[in-house]
Amino acid sequence: MKIRLEVLVSITAMVTAVAAVVVAILQTQVMHEEASMEREHQRLSVMPALLVYTGSHIGDDKGSFNVGLVNQGIGPAVIESFSAKVEGVESADWEELVAQGTGGQVQIAGDARNVDGVTLSDLTPGTVVPAGENVVPIKLDTTPENAAILRDFSDRLVVSVCYCSLYEECWNTSNQRARPTPVKMCPSRRGDAG
């Protein structure tokens, strides 16, 4: 009877030890999953989502045109590249792009300028667009006739932006695309339309 009691105690000790090892393994897996979920939450909590848009207004005696982008995400967007093209042709700046895109009918600078007000904002690499912020690279106040020309111009205008989150996840978007497309990295900036 004494041997059986010792065997029973040692079997119980072995079962307890195996159970402790199983619990430790399960606890490690749970902790790993929790850490992974926490990292994912942190990544998502700084995810930007840029929307690029064009807008125009044609009133009775005034008109306007603008290109803008708004960060609809919950984290800041770091602009890595920005380009504006009309029918596949990129210009050195907005002055040249608007003149080419409107067949010279709208001039935003120089002696031939025929718009009332011009507001330009440069989107250089490294520009940070905070969540909820709106940036307007170009805004023109003009006549209703010029605004109509600019509305046609906006149908042919492709404004592309490549941006990254603080975790260096990157996306490319444009005024021709409803959703940003994930990319491995943003291309180097080849030209500046701002």
PDB file of all heavy atoms in Angstrom, residues 83-91 94 96-103 152-159:
ATOM      1  N   SER A  83       2.395  65.033 -58.242  1.00  0.00           N
ATOM      2  CA  SER A  83       2.514  65.408 -59.648  1.00  0.00           C
ATOM      3  C   SER A  83       1.148  65.780 -60.192  1.00  0.00           C
ATOM      4  O   SER A  83       0.121  65.309 -59.713  1.00  0.00           O
ATOM      5  CB  SER A  83       3.119  64.280 -60.486  1.00  0.00           C
ATOM      6  OG  SER A  83       2.206  63.207 -60.593  1.00  0.00           O
ATOM      7  N   ALA A  84       1.154  66.653 -61.179  1.00  0.00           N
ATOM      8  CA  ALA A  84      -0.071  67.059 -61.858  1.00  0.00           C
ATOM      9  C   ALA A  84       0.202  67.002 -63.355  1.00  0.00           C
ATOM     10  O   ALA A  84       1.196  67.553 -63.834  1.00  0.00           O
ATOM     11  CB  ALA A  84      -0.488  68.460 -61.435  1.00  0.00           C
ATOM     12  N   LYS A  85      -0.689  66.310 -64.084  1.00  0.00           N
ATOM     13  CA  LYS A  85      -0.504  66.115 -65.517  1.00  0.00           C
ATOM     14  C   LYS A  85      -1.824  66.371 -66.235  1.00  0.00           C
ATOM     15  O   LYS A  85      -2.895  66.106 -65.692  1.00  0.00           O
ATOM     16  CB  LYS A  85      -0.067  64.695 -65.837  1.00  0.00           C
ATOM     17  CG  LYS A  85       1.238  64.278 -65.219  1.00  0.00           C
ATOM     18  CD  LYS A  85       1.536  62.813 -65.498  1.00  0.00           C
ATOM     19  CE  LYS A  85       2.821  62.388 -64.803  1.00  0.00           C
ATOM     20  NZ  LYS A  85       3.115  60.985 -65.038  1.00  0.00           N
ATOM     21  N   VAL A  86      -1.721  66.870 -67.450  1.00  0.00           N
ATOM     22  CA  VAL A  86      -2.882  66.982 -68.330  1.00  0.00           C
ATOM     23  C   VAL A  86      -2.588  66.121 -69.540  1.00  0.00           C
ATOM     24  O   VAL A  86      -1.582  66.324 -70.220  1.00  0.00           O
ATOM     25  CB  VAL A  86      -3.145  68.439 -68.749  1.00  0.00           C
ATOM     26  CG1 VAL A  86      -4.280  68.509 -69.764  1.00  0.00           C
ATOM     27  CG2 VAL A  86      -3.485  69.287 -67.544  1.00  0.00           C
ATOM     28  N   GLU A  87      -3.463  65.128 -69.742  1.00  0.00           N
ATOM     29  CA  GLU A  87      -3.313  64.192 -70.861  1.00  0.00           C
ATOM     30  C   GLU A  87      -1.916  63.584 -70.898  1.00  0.00           C
ATOM     31  O   GLU A  87      -1.284  63.478 -71.941  1.00  0.00           O
ATOM     32  CB  GLU A  87      -3.695  64.872 -72.164  1.00  0.00           C
ATOM     33  CG  GLU A  87      -5.166  65.296 -72.165  1.00  0.00           C
ATOM     34  CD  GLU A  87      -5.562  66.179 -73.330  1.00  0.00           C
ATOM     35  OE1 GLU A  87      -4.705  66.591 -74.120  1.00  0.00           O
ATOM     36  OE2 GLU A  87      -6.770  66.446 -73.421  1.00  0.00           O
ATOM     37  N   GLY A  88      -1.413  63.215 -69.708  1.00  0.00           N
ATOM     38  CA  GLY A  88      -0.133  62.534 -69.590  1.00  0.00           C
ATOM     39  C   GLY A  88       1.092  63.424 -69.607  1.00  0.00           C
ATOM     40  O   GLY A  88       2.204  62.946 -69.463  1.00  0.00           O
ATOM     41  N   VAL A  89       0.914  64.735 -69.779  1.00  0.00           N
ATOM     42  CA  VAL A  89       2.054  65.651 -69.850  1.00  0.00           C
ATOM     43  C   VAL A  89       2.169  66.409 -68.531  1.00  0.00           C
ATOM     44  O   VAL A  89       1.239  67.099 -68.118  1.00  0.00           O
ATOM     45  CB  VAL A  89       1.896  66.644 -71.025  1.00  0.00           C
ATOM     46  CG1 VAL A  89       3.064  67.618 -71.060  1.00  0.00           C
ATOM     47  CG2 VAL A  89       1.775  65.899 -72.343  1.00  0.00           C
ATOM     48  N   GLU A  90       3.317  66.256 -67.885  1.00  0.00           N
ATOM     49  CA  GLU A  90       3.572  66.954 -66.628  1.00  0.00           C
ATOM     50  C   GLU A  90       4.295  68.261 -66.929  1.00  0.00           C
ATOM     51  O   GLU A  90       5.139  68.331 -67.818  1.00  0.00           O
ATOM     52  CB  GLU A  90       4.433  66.078 -65.712  1.00  0.00           C
ATOM     53  CG  GLU A  90       4.578  66.620 -64.326  1.00  0.00           C
ATOM     54  CD  GLU A  90       5.240  65.640 -63.382  1.00  0.00           C
ATOM     55  OE1 GLU A  90       5.578  64.517 -63.795  1.00  0.00           O
ATOM     56  OE2 GLU A  90       5.426  66.005 -62.220  1.00  0.00           O
ATOM     57  N   SER A  91       3.955  69.296 -66.192  1.00  0.00           N
ATOM     58  CA  SER A  91       4.567  70.605 -66.395  1.00  0.00           C
ATOM     59  C   SER A  91       5.454  70.967 -65.219  1.00  0.00           C
ATOM     60  O   SER A  91       5.361  70.370 -64.149  1.00  0.00           O
ATOM     61  CB  SER A  91       3.480  71.673 -66.572  1.00  0.00           C
ATOM     62  OG  SER A  91       2.704  71.385 -67.713  1.00  0.00           O
ATOM     63  N   TRP A  94       2.422  75.139 -61.888  1.00  0.00           N
ATOM     64  CA  TRP A  94       0.987  75.320 -62.141  1.00  0.00           C
ATOM     65  C   TRP A  94       0.732  76.315 -63.274  1.00  0.00           C
ATOM     66  O   TRP A  94      -0.203  76.147 -64.049  1.00  0.00           O
ATOM     67  CB  TRP A  94       0.280  75.788 -60.874  1.00  0.00           C
ATOM     68  CG  TRP A  94       0.061  74.696 -59.877  1.00  0.00           C
ATOM     69  CD1 TRP A  94       0.687  74.559 -58.666  1.00  0.00           C
ATOM     70  CD2 TRP A  94      -0.825  73.585 -59.994  1.00  0.00           C
ATOM     71  NE1 TRP A  94       0.235  73.422 -58.031  1.00  0.00           N
ATOM     72  CE2 TRP A  94      -0.707  72.811 -58.824  1.00  0.00           C
ATOM     73  CE3 TRP A  94      -1.719  73.160 -60.973  1.00  0.00           C
ATOM     74  CZ2 TRP A  94      -1.433  71.650 -58.602  1.00  0.00           C
ATOM     75  CZ3 TRP A  94      -2.455  72.001 -60.751  1.00  0.00           C
ATOM     76  CH2 TRP A  94      -2.304  71.255 -59.579  1.00  0.00           C
ATOM     77  N   GLU A  96       2.427  76.902 -66.004  1.00  0.00           N
ATOM     78  CA  GLU A  96       2.586  76.212 -67.289  1.00  0.00           C
ATOM     79  C   GLU A  96       1.477  75.177 -67.499  1.00  0.00           C
ATOM     80  O   GLU A  96       0.909  75.058 -68.595  1.00  0.00           O
ATOM     81  CB  GLU A  96       3.955  75.540 -67.332  1.00  0.00           C
ATOM     82  CG  GLU A  96       4.287  74.854 -68.629  1.00  0.00           C
ATOM     83  CD  GLU A  96       5.654  74.200 -68.574  1.00  0.00           C
ATOM     84  OE1 GLU A  96       6.632  74.886 -68.186  1.00  0.00           O
ATOM     85  OE2 GLU A  96       5.732  72.993 -68.907  1.00  0.00           O
ATOM     86  N   LEU A  97       1.138  74.429 -66.450  1.00  0.00           N
ATOM     87  CA  LEU A  97       0.127  73.381 -66.555  1.00  0.00           C
ATOM     88  C   LEU A  97      -1.246  73.959 -66.904  1.00  0.00           C
ATOM     89  O   LEU A  97      -1.933  73.451 -67.787  1.00  0.00           O
ATOM     90  CB  LEU A  97       0.044  72.595 -65.249  1.00  0.00           C
ATOM     91  CG  LEU A  97      -0.828  71.353 -65.291  1.00  0.00           C
ATOM     92  CD1 LEU A  97      -0.137  70.247 -66.081  1.00  0.00           C
ATOM     93  CD2 LEU A  97      -1.145  70.872 -63.889  1.00  0.00           C
ATOM     94  N   VAL A  98      -1.650  75.036 -66.229  1.00  0.00           N
ATOM     95  CA  VAL A  98      -2.950  75.657 -66.506  1.00  0.00           C
ATOM     96  C   VAL A  98      -2.970  76.232 -67.918  1.00  0.00           C
ATOM     97  O   VAL A  98      -3.949  76.056 -68.657  1.00  0.00           O
ATOM     98  CB  VAL A  98      -3.287  76.728 -65.448  1.00  0.00           C
ATOM     99  CG1 VAL A  98      -4.496  77.550 -65.869  1.00  0.00           C
ATOM    100  CG2 VAL A  98      -3.530  76.075 -64.091  1.00  0.00           C
ATOM    101  N   ALA A  99      -1.899  76.895 -68.313  1.00  0.00           N
ATOM    102  CA  ALA A  99      -1.834  77.469 -69.667  1.00  0.00           C
ATOM    103  C   ALA A  99      -1.927  76.365 -70.725  1.00  0.00           C
ATOM    104  O   ALA A  99      -2.704  76.478 -71.682  1.00  0.00           O
ATOM    105  CB  ALA A  99      -0.554  78.278 -69.845  1.00  0.00           C
ATOM    106  N   GLN A 100      -1.170  75.284 -70.551  1.00  0.00           N
ATOM    107  CA  GLN A 100      -1.215  74.188 -71.523  1.00  0.00           C
ATOM    108  C   GLN A 100      -2.572  73.488 -71.503  1.00  0.00           C
ATOM    109  O   GLN A 100      -3.135  73.167 -72.544  1.00  0.00           O
ATOM    110  CB  GLN A 100      -0.111  73.164 -71.232  1.00  0.00           C
ATOM    111  CG  GLN A 100       1.262  73.629 -71.609  1.00  0.00           C
ATOM    112  CD  GLN A 100       2.327  72.598 -71.257  1.00  0.00           C
ATOM    113  OE1 GLN A 100       2.072  71.620 -70.555  1.00  0.00           O
ATOM    114  NE2 GLN A 100       3.539  72.828 -71.748  1.00  0.00           N
ATOM    115  N   GLY A 101      -3.099  73.258 -70.313  1.00  0.00           N
ATOM    116  CA  GLY A 101      -4.349  72.521 -70.176  1.00  0.00           C
ATOM    117  C   GLY A 101      -5.571  73.267 -70.678  1.00  0.00           C
ATOM    118  O   GLY A 101      -6.577  72.654 -71.022  1.00  0.00           O
ATOM    119  N   THR A 102      -5.469  74.595 -70.720  1.00  0.00           N
ATOM    120  CA  THR A 102      -6.605  75.396 -71.198  1.00  0.00           C
ATOM    121  C   THR A 102      -6.346  75.962 -72.587  1.00  0.00           C
ATOM    122  O   THR A 102      -7.094  76.824 -73.045  1.00  0.00           O
ATOM    123  CB  THR A 102      -6.903  76.551 -70.225  1.00  0.00           C
ATOM    124  OG1 THR A 102      -5.777  77.432 -70.163  1.00  0.00           O
ATOM    125  CG2 THR A 102      -7.270  76.034 -68.847  1.00  0.00           C
ATOM    126  N   GLY A 103      -5.299  75.483 -73.232  1.00  0.00           N
ATOM    127  CA  GLY A 103      -4.964  75.986 -74.566  1.00  0.00           C
ATOM    128  C   GLY A 103      -4.601  77.461 -74.552  1.00  0.00           C
ATOM    129  O   GLY A 103      -4.834  78.183 -75.527  1.00  0.00           O
ATOM    130  N   ASP A 152     -13.601  72.173 -67.548  1.00  0.00           N
ATOM    131  CA  ASP A 152     -13.235  71.220 -68.605  1.00  0.00           C
ATOM    132  C   ASP A 152     -11.800  70.728 -68.406  1.00  0.00           C
ATOM    133  O   ASP A 152     -11.505  69.548 -68.569  1.00  0.00           O
ATOM    134  CB  ASP A 152     -13.401  71.869 -69.983  1.00  0.00           C
ATOM    135  CG  ASP A 152     -12.958  70.955 -71.106  1.00  0.00           C
ATOM    136  OD1 ASP A 152     -13.503  69.828 -71.200  1.00  0.00           O
ATOM    137  OD2 ASP A 152     -12.047  71.347 -71.874  1.00  0.00           O
ATOM    138  N   PHE A 153     -10.913  71.645 -68.038  1.00  0.00           N
ATOM    139  CA  PHE A 153      -9.517  71.320 -67.757  1.00  0.00           C
ATOM    140  C   PHE A 153      -9.431  70.274 -66.640  1.00  0.00           C
ATOM    141  O   PHE A 153      -8.646  69.332 -66.716  1.00  0.00           O
ATOM    142  CB  PHE A 153      -8.793  72.620 -67.384  1.00  0.00           C
ATOM    143  CG  PHE A 153      -7.508  72.475 -66.625  1.00  0.00           C
ATOM    144  CD1 PHE A 153      -6.357  71.999 -67.226  1.00  0.00           C
ATOM    145  CD2 PHE A 153      -7.433  72.856 -65.285  1.00  0.00           C
ATOM    146  CE1 PHE A 153      -5.164  71.900 -66.532  1.00  0.00           C
ATOM    147  CE2 PHE A 153      -6.252  72.760 -64.583  1.00  0.00           C
ATOM    148  CZ  PHE A 153      -5.119  72.284 -65.204  1.00  0.00           C
ATOM    149  N   SER A 154     -10.273  70.404 -65.605  1.00  0.00           N
ATOM    150  CA  SER A 154     -10.209  69.480 -64.469  1.00  0.00           C
ATOM    151  C   SER A 154     -10.593  68.059 -64.856  1.00  0.00           C
ATOM    152  O   SER A 154     -10.145  67.101 -64.226  1.00  0.00           O
ATOM    153  CB  SER A 154     -11.087  69.972 -63.320  1.00  0.00           C
ATOM    154  OG  SER A 154     -12.451  69.829 -63.625  1.00  0.00           O
ATOM    155  N   ASP A 155     -11.400  67.898 -65.901  1.00  0.00           N
ATOM    156  CA  ASP A 155     -11.756  66.558 -66.373  1.00  0.00           C
ATOM    157  C   ASP A 155     -10.555  65.833 -66.983  1.00  0.00           C
ATOM    158  O   ASP A 155     -10.516  64.608 -67.022  1.00  0.00           O
ATOM    159  CB  ASP A 155     -12.881  66.625 -67.410  1.00  0.00           C
ATOM    160  CG  ASP A 155     -14.204  67.064 -66.802  1.00  0.00           C
ATOM    161  OD1 ASP A 155     -14.370  66.923 -65.574  1.00  0.00           O
ATOM    162  OD2 ASP A 155     -15.066  67.553 -67.557  1.00  0.00           O
ATOM    163  N   ARG A 156      -9.589  66.588 -67.464  1.00  0.00           N
ATOM    164  CA  ARG A 156      -8.397  66.008 -68.094  1.00  0.00           C
ATOM    165  C   ARG A 156      -7.173  66.040 -67.188  1.00  0.00           C
ATOM    166  O   ARG A 156      -6.130  65.503 -67.517  1.00  0.00           O
ATOM    167  CB  ARG A 156      -8.092  66.754 -69.399  1.00  0.00           C
ATOM    168  CG  ARG A 156      -9.209  66.601 -70.428  1.00  0.00           C
ATOM    169  CD  ARG A 156      -8.991  67.412 -71.705  1.00  0.00           C
ATOM    170  NE  ARG A 156      -9.141  68.842 -71.448  1.00  0.00           N
ATOM    171  CZ  ARG A 156      -8.154  69.734 -71.532  1.00  0.00           C
ATOM    172  NH1 ARG A 156      -6.955  69.365 -71.899  1.00  0.00           N
ATOM    173  NH2 ARG A 156      -8.373  71.003 -71.272  1.00  0.00           N
ATOM    174  N   LEU A 157      -7.322  66.675 -66.037  1.00  0.00           N
ATOM    175  CA  LEU A 157      -6.226  66.833 -65.082  1.00  0.00           C
ATOM    176  C   LEU A 157      -6.118  65.596 -64.193  1.00  0.00           C
ATOM    177  O   LEU A 157      -7.111  65.127 -63.654  1.00  0.00           O
ATOM    178  CB  LEU A 157      -6.489  68.064 -64.212  1.00  0.00           C
ATOM    179  CG  LEU A 157      -5.495  68.352 -63.091  1.00  0.00           C
ATOM    180  CD1 LEU A 157      -4.126  68.716 -63.650  1.00  0.00           C
ATOM    181  CD2 LEU A 157      -6.039  69.484 -62.218  1.00  0.00           C
ATOM    182  N   VAL A 158      -4.899  65.077 -64.052  1.00  0.00           N
ATOM    183  CA  VAL A 158      -4.643  63.953 -63.138  1.00  0.00           C
ATOM    184  C   VAL A 158      -3.619  64.435 -62.106  1.00  0.00           C
ATOM    185  O   VAL A 158      -2.474  64.704 -62.436  1.00  0.00           O
ATOM    186  CB  VAL A 158      -4.111  62.706 -63.879  1.00  0.00           C
ATOM    187  CG1 VAL A 158      -3.796  61.598 -62.891  1.00  0.00           C
ATOM    188  CG2 VAL A 158      -5.109  62.243 -64.920  1.00  0.00           C
ATOM    189  N   VAL A 159      -4.087  64.548 -60.871  1.00  0.00           N
ATOM    190  CA  VAL A 159      -3.224  64.937 -59.762  1.00  0.00           C
ATOM    191  C   VAL A 159      -2.955  63.680 -58.949  1.00  0.00           C
ATOM    192  O   VAL A 159      -3.889  63.048 -58.451  1.00  0.00           O
ATOM    193  CB  VAL A 159      -3.891  66.015 -58.882  1.00  0.00           C
ATOM    194  CG1 VAL A 159      -3.002  66.358 -57.697  1.00  0.00           C
ATOM    195  CG2 VAL A 159      -4.196  67.258 -59.706  1.00  0.00           C
TER     196      VAL A 159
END
